[in-house]
Amino acid sequence: MGNKNMKIRVAWIIPNVFMYVLFFGFGSFVLSHANGLRDINRLGIWVFMLIMLLCIALFGSYQIRSWIKQGKI
């Protein structure tokens, strides 16, 4: 594996890791403020955003893994 492939891998993996950090950060925010969000009827929106963020992170991980197996990166 060349140095170029390693740079491309890192360029794809770092944003994906950032998505997981965002998911856990927003998740802790939602858990700690669930009662207040429920009072102003915004809990559903935040939970939906959390689910979408998790789906994006999981799809990104799957895509990166499949590219590595195919030898693209």
Side-chain angles (χ1 to χ4, degrees):
M1 174 176 31
N3 193 20
K4 182 180 177 185
N5 281 349
M6 185 58 73
K7 289 179 182 178
I8 293 173
R9 281 186 188 188
V10 170
W12 279 102
I13 291 172
I14 287 175
N16 192 258
V17 169
F18 183 66
M19 289 293 175
Y20 284 108
V21 170
L22 278 174
F23 173 74
F24 288 115
F26 284 150
S28 64
F29 172 81
V30 170
L31 284 175
S32 65
H33 294 91
N35 290 333
L37 291 170
R38 188 179 305 120
D39 290 343
I40 61 172
N41 293 326
R42 295 291 183 242
L43 184 61
I45 293 170
W46 278 92
V47 170
F48 176 74
M49 288 190 314
L50 275 174
I51 291 170
M52 295 307 298
L53 188 59
L54 180 62
C55 290
I56 291 168
L58 290 174
F59 178 73
S61 296
Y62 171 76
Q63 191 69 36
I64 291 168
R65 183 175 178 191
S66 67
W67 285 339
I68 290 173
K69 281 187 175 186
Q70 293 172 3
K72 291 184 179 180
I73 63 171

